[in-house]
Amino acid sequence: MKKALQQRTDKNKEGVIAQLSRMKSSIDWFQFGAVGLLILIWLIMYFSTPHFGNKFNQINLMRQASVLMVAAAAQTFAVIAGGLNIAVGSSVALSAVVSAAVSLKFGTAAGYIAGVLTGVLTGFLLGVAVGIFRVDATIGTVGLMAVAQGLAFQVTRGRPVTGLPQTYRIVGMGMWGGVPILVVVALSTIILVHIFLSYTVWGRNIYAVGVDEEAARLAGIKVRWYKILSQVLSVSLAAWAGVLLSSRINTGIATIGAGMHLEAIAAVILGGTALFSGEGNVLKALIGVMIITILNNGMDLLHVSHYLRDILLGLIVISVVFINTTLKNR
Amino acid sequence: MALNTKALVDRLKRTGGSLLILIVIVVVMTLIDKRFLSPENVRNILRIGAITVIAVYGQTFVMLTGQIDLSMGAVASLSSVIIGLVVVQLGWPLFISIIFALLVGALVGLVNGVLVFHFGLPSFITTFGMFTSLSGFASSLTGSTPIELAGLCNIGWIGRGFVGAVPIPIIIAAIAFIILHLVLNNTGYGRTVKAIGYNRKVALLSGRKVKLIGIITYVLSGFLVGLTAVLMSSRIYCAHPDLAPNLAFDAIAAAAVGGISMQGGKGNLVEATIGALIIVALLNGLTLVNVTTYMQMVTRGLVIIVAVALNNVRTFGFANVTGISFRRKKVGVEV
């Protein structure tokens, strides 16, 4: 009996490992296409608007990319766990307003901490629902989206939180020897996340749970704990993105994350990650982040209306998923 | 006809829980504020409930196939805007504008359905992308401003009128219920819808036209959202690009509370109806006691999460779902 179980476990372990290594080798031409698209968009923007290429705008671009980078990392966690975090944007909004509001009273550091803590807390509640009560992760985030958005408006009564302490914007707008601090912070976050996911047992186990829950369980992985952990990390990273964003614009606004719901998803899938298969890589998403950011920045400069941008964003997401799915099913 | 008591008891057990929630909400709200059970308010709840429930039926059908439709809010906005544009810009009669609104809903449903069922895209992300695109599109059509319809056509009677003492939306919802209930339970189409959600592979292997049925289901859902949009626009006498941004949330919450399974395959329209009444009664009660719209949003979200969790517990048992057992474990049993 025990031997049979051991064999079954080993077999499942092998399966998981094989699946993981298959993923690693799946750097296909989708990504080359994405890089090509990135360069193409950059060139189009460079030649169609006079201000796009100048130094200030390029620095601005890097700042804008930083926040989305962290948000995309948040999304990546959810995608690896086998779901989708639809609530990234509203988690960003909630932590942005909480962080701003707290910093008004207790100073910058307390504000930042409070912002991240809202993410940890809401993420934990979501994690309990997903890990303990087996709520489908994506459905759970649909609920969280409403909860976080509602709370963000409730905290501020719909008004922007301004008049923040002088120090609040240092992370978002400060420079560090010619490089924006925000970029350094975001990049270090991404690198830490990547190290966590790729080189620690916890990270690998999160992958394993996302690929095949049953196999992971048989391999002796505490599935429920890792499901909770991935949700907590996903929402907390989104909250961290919210703190950074509020620092960049030096305000806390409840509507701040409205566009980021889809942008975070778009960034991840543009990076070539297939949804709902348990794969995902933070570094892959960087290409997607840059594409989305350049598009946004360029369209700002070209005075493209917000409606048109929404229409475009939706279409981009659908077509990328379309390409991804048809490639996979070929 | 022999009464199938076992099936009846089973059904009562399934719907009993959500019915109990509805009763608790009604009792609690009445205790907090007497106005909750006043005839005007009850009529109000029923009327709004009737309008919402039509969209909930759409979501229920989609959820029975194991998919989801997050685009509802935007589809409703677009349909509403189309009514306004056809009446104001083209000057065509109201009747035709309503047909256009329904067609637009069905058309979006067709696109959703083809993407999800024919090309196999994940429904969450597809319909969410659709939501963003169509919201932008609806707003851009009117420059984000509502179109007043009050003086232009007599649209008001659909959403506000009465036949005898019964509001017209309730009659429309009742007709929708009867037709859809019969379709779901007594036709091959309805059975296939459930079969797809229950086990898509088996449905496919047993020769069901999975793709076609799935696409039809999304078209149906879009059409029903169009109908909801017509009723809503009529109730507020205007075509609004931001008509019901939370419609998908409401519909999902209602279906979840009613007990429709998120995995698909399980559920019926009685449950959906009770779920819709629960959501509408809850939101109405919260409005009565001056809870802000923001906190109502929070409530919607919590209801979705808690309802899905409760559903799991109800279906599989607390210990099976959570892995927490309060009984002492038997010693010496090998797994």
Side-chain angles (χ1 to χ4, degrees):
Chain A
M1 177 76 191
K2 234 179 188 169
K3 203 179 163 199
L5 182 68
Q6 187 60 42
Q7 273 174 356
R8 210 161 117 214
T9 311
D10 285 349
K11 207 174 149 201
N12 275 304
K13 233 178 200 168
E14 276 162 27
V16 172
I17 291 165
Q19 207 152 356
L20 286 175
S21 56
R22 255 207 307 287
M23 260 174 221
K24 228 173 193 174
S25 66
S26 71
I27 301 167
D28 49 342
W29 57 273
F30 182 92
Q31 269 163 311
F32 288 104
V35 174
L37 186 67
L38 174 63
I39 296 170
L40 185 71
I41 291 174
W42 195 89
L43 286 176
I44 290 175
M45 292 303 176
Y46 186 84
F47 288 113
S48 57
T49 67
H51 301 295
F52 180 79
N54 75 30
K55 194 184 148 207
F56 292 110
N57 190 52
Q58 290 299 312
I59 288 180
N60 193 20
L61 197 71
M62 281 154 74
R63 283 212 178 95
Q64 288 171 345
S66 300
V67 176
L68 188 56
M69 222 182 273
V70 179
Q75 185 63 255
T76 305
F77 261 108
V79 170
I80 291 171
L84 200 65
N85 189 346
I86 303 224
V88 167
S90 23
S91 301
V92 164
L94 178 59
S95 80
V97 297
V98 167
S99 163
V102 171
S103 77
L104 270 185
K105 275 191 184 156
F106 302 100
T108 303
Y112 282 16
I113 294 170
V116 175
L117 275 184
T118 40
V120 176
L121 201 70
T122 45
F124 182 70
L125 292 179
L126 178 65
V128 167
V130 173
I132 307 282
F133 289 97
R134 303 221 179 147
V135 173
D136 177 85
T138 318
I139 291 275
T141 59
V142 172
L144 179 64
M145 179 179 174
V147 171
Q149 194 64 66
L151 282 178
F153 276 109
Q154 180 68 24
V155 168
T156 60
R157 308 273 155 176
R159 282 187 291 268
V161 183
T162 51
L164 304 179
Q166 287 288 322
T167 48
Y168 195 82
R169 56 185 314 198
I170 288 179
V171 172
M173 289 306 276
M175 296 290 271
W176 205 16
V179 184
I181 295 177
L182 188 62
V183 175
V184 178
V185 170
L187 277 178
S188 7
T189 308
I190 298 299
I191 292 168
L192 277 180
V193 167
H194 184 69
I195 291 172
F196 172 80
L197 277 172
S198 302
Y199 301 103
T200 67
V201 176
W202 283 16
R204 300 319 286 174
N205 283 351
I206 288 181
Y207 273 106
V209 171
V211 171
D212 191 333
E213 230 178 278
E214 183 61 15
R217 192 179 68 78
L218 289 171
I221 296 172
K222 291 198 179 81
V223 171
R224 290 177 194 275
W225 154 245
Y226 285 104
K227 281 175 108 176
I228 297 176
L229 182 68
S230 50
Q231 295 304 330
V232 170
L233 287 174
S234 174
V235 181
S236 306
L237 271 173
W240 179 225
V243 171
L244 295 180
L245 181 54
S246 67
S247 167
R248 183 168 81 77
I249 59 173
N250 206 23
T251 1
I253 317 174
T255 52
I256 211 172
M260 219 175 265
H261 287 302
L262 207 52
E263 281 174 9
I265 300 175
V268 169
I269 54 177
L270 272 168
T273 301
L275 297 172
F276 300 109
S277 65
E279 73 177 271
N281 185 321
V282 189
L283 301 183
K284 264 190 184 177
L286 280 182
I287 307 169
V289 169
M290 288 318 294
I291 293 178
I292 297 291
T293 311
I294 291 174
L295 268 180
N296 270 340
N297 180 293
M299 287 193 291
D300 267 339
L301 293 175
L302 290 169
H303 302 291
V304 176
S305 80
H306 256 277
Y307 316 130
L308 199 58
R309 290 164 62 161
D310 277 351
I311 298 174
L312 201 64
L313 184 63
L315 288 181
I316 288 175
V317 166
I318 292 177
S319 24
V320 173
V321 176
F322 184 86
I323 294 170
N324 225 332
T325 314
T326 40
L327 277 182
K328 199 176 68 187
N329 294 345
R330 221 170 21 157
Chain B
M1 193 179 90
L3 254 177
N4 190 346
T5 39
K6 191 172 175 296
L8 195 69
V9 169
D10 268 5
R11 175 162 289 184
L12 268 181
K13 257 189 193 166
R14 276 185 70 79
T15 48
S18 36
L19 207 56
L20 198 68
I21 299 176
L22 180 60
I23 292 169
V24 168
I25 288 176
V26 170
V27 170
V28 170
M29 287 302 173
T30 316
L31 286 179
I32 294 174
D33 194 326
K34 265 189 198 154
R35 285 175 298 167
F36 186 77
L37 269 190
S38 66
E40 299 92 60
N41 198 46
V42 170
R43 202 162 62 197
N44 205 13
I45 290 176
L46 288 179
R47 187 176 354 202
I48 297 174
I51 294 176
T52 314
V53 84
I54 296 171
V56 177
Y57 291 156
Q59 189 72 261
T60 302
F61 267 78
V62 173
M63 270 161 64
L64 281 176
T65 66
Q67 308 292 342
I68 202 160
D69 188 352
L70 294 178
S71 67
M72 284 190 158
V75 180
S77 304
L78 186 60
S79 292
S80 176
V81 166
I82 292 294
I83 297 176
L85 288 184
V86 171
V87 168
V88 175
Q89 302 278 344
L90 301 178
W92 291 356
L94 179 67
F95 176 65
I96 294 179
S97 78
I98 289 176
I99 290 179
F100 265 87
L102 298 177
L103 281 182
V104 164
L107 186 69
V108 177
L110 180 67
V111 176
N112 277 336
V114 168
L115 286 174
V116 170
F117 274 96
H118 189 264
F119 291 107
L121 308 199
S123 60
F124 268 105
I125 182 73
T126 309
T127 54
F128 194 42
M130 218 56 170
F131 175 84
T132 310
S133 278
L134 293 180
S135 295
F137 185 49
S139 298
S140 73
L141 281 178
T142 69
S144 216
T145 46
I147 304 172
E148 181 87 23
L149 292 175
L152 292 167
C153 54
N154 54 345
I155 190 172
W157 65 270
I158 311 168
R160 295 183 161 269
F162 290 91
V163 173
V166 188
I168 289 177
I170 294 185
I171 294 175
I172 295 180
I175 294 172
F177 173 81
I178 293 170
I179 294 176
L180 293 173
H181 192 74
L182 289 177
V183 166
L184 186 60
N185 293 321
N186 297 345
T187 65
Y189 164 75
R191 274 190 294 276
T192 309
V193 164
K194 283 187 180 175
I196 293 173
Y198 206 79
N199 192 330
R200 190 168 168 174
K201 253 182 200 155
V202 171
L204 194 67
L205 289 174
S206 59
R208 309 288 186 153
K209 293 194 174 76
V210 169
K211 285 184 178 176
L212 180 68
I213 300 288
I215 293 171
I216 292 176
T217 306
Y218 264 106
V219 172
L220 176 68
S221 165
F223 177 84
L224 290 174
V225 173
L227 185 57
T228 309
V230 170
L231 291 172
M232 282 181 167
S233 314
S234 147
R235 216 174 72 86
I236 59 173
Y237 294 111
C238 73
H240 206 300
D242 216 6
L243 185 73
N246 295 323
L247 189 61
F249 287 115
D250 284 346
I252 295 169
V257 170
I260 314 292
S261 159
M262 289 285 157
Q263 285 83 36
K266 276 182 228 142
N268 59 52
L269 293 186
V270 178
E271 294 173 353
T273 311
I274 296 173
L277 280 177
I278 290 176
I279 295 296
V280 172
L282 186 65
L283 293 180
N284 174 285
L286 291 179
T287 311
L288 274 187
V289 294
N290 287 328
V291 170
T292 58
T293 49
Y294 310 138
M295 287 316 278
Q296 292 185 20
M297 184 94 179
V298 175
T299 311
R300 279 190 187 99
L302 285 179
V303 165
I304 291 180
I305 298 177
V306 173
V308 176
L310 279 181
N311 258 344
N312 287 347
V313 171
R314 197 158 71 187
T315 323
F316 303 109
F318 183 79
N320 289 335
V321 170
T322 59
I324 302 166
S325 175
F326 295 111
R327 278 185 221 135
R328 278 247 307 282
K329 273 180 192 159
K330 284 180 191 166
V331 189
V333 176
E334 214 173 279
V335 185

